[in-house]
Amino acid sequence: MSLVKRTNRLPFPFDEFLTTDWLGGIAETNKINRNVPAVNIRETDSGFTLDLAAPGLVKENFNIELDNDVLTISSQVSSEKEDNSDNKYTRKEFSYSTFKRTFTVPETVNGNEIEASYNSGILSITLPKKEEAKVPPKRLIDIA
């Protein structure tokens, strides 16, 4: 069983139809919707590893929640820059970045032992399997 991506968006054909600028080009909303971090999901015998590419953030920017077998990873970053010059001119620049990714976690995952780490722009979440869901190792059977 594997992790299943959940989304609050319309299916892809409708998304493209509704966000296309019919006078030429791509509508601005289409560019915004595509601005979510890429995710790699690996399954091993002992569990799953979810790697999310989010460079330029710090671990305090992330919010990871598990609620009813739904894993939600979100981030909201805002920064403000103020420049005061001698010309009595004040300029403020705001920057906001936000994303939200949601995944359905299989029943085989032990939700109490999920761990996360952030290193070199990659958020890694380890989702260990329950003992009964792990694949037993091969064993040799002697012939009597």
Side-chain angles (χ1 to χ4, degrees):
M1 191 174 267
S2 62
L3 292 173
V4 178
K5 178 181 152 187
R6 292 173 51 123
T7 180
N8 295 332
R9 296 184 4 201
L10 295 171
F12 181 71
F14 294 112
D15 183 36
E16 187 173 293
F17 175 77
L18 294 175
T19 58
T20 299
D21 181 5
W22 294 103
L23 298 176
I26 304 289
E28 190 65 28
T29 56
N30 195 19
K31 294 177 187 172
I32 294 170
N33 287 340
R34 303 282 185 226
N35 194 19
V36 293
V39 174
N40 292 333
I41 301 172
R42 293 185 310 260
E43 181 177 7
T44 63
D45 291 339
S46 61
F48 298 91
T49 302
L50 187 145
D51 293 328
L52 185 131
L57 299 177
V58 293
K59 66 181 183 178
E60 290 79 17
N61 295 137
F62 296 102
N63 185 24
I64 304 170
E65 299 175 352
L66 180 65
D67 185 26
N68 294 327
D69 295 331
V70 175
L71 180 71
T72 303
I73 306 166
S74 60
S75 174
Q76 183 173 0
V77 180
S78 62
S79 65
E80 183 177 326
K81 182 178 179 181
E82 186 173 329
D83 179 22
N84 293 325
S85 65
D86 293 340
N87 296 331
K88 297 182 183 179
Y89 174 75
T90 301
R91 179 183 71 203
K92 284 188 173 185
E93 294 182 359
F94 298 97
S95 173
Y96 297 99
S97 174
T98 181
F99 73 85
K100 184 176 183 179
R101 299 291 307 257
T102 307
F103 303 89
T104 301
V105 177
E107 293 177 7
T108 58
V109 169
N110 185 349
N112 295 326
E113 295 184 11
I114 295 175
E115 296 179 353
S117 64
Y118 183 72
N119 189 15
S120 300
I122 304 292
L123 176 67
S124 294
I125 302 174
T126 304
L127 302 116
K129 290 182 180 177
K130 297 177 183 175
E131 285 301 319
E132 59 269 15
K134 291 182 181 177
V135 177
K138 287 192 256 182
R139 67 181 185 103
L140 291 174
I141 300 173
D142 290 334
I143 300 173

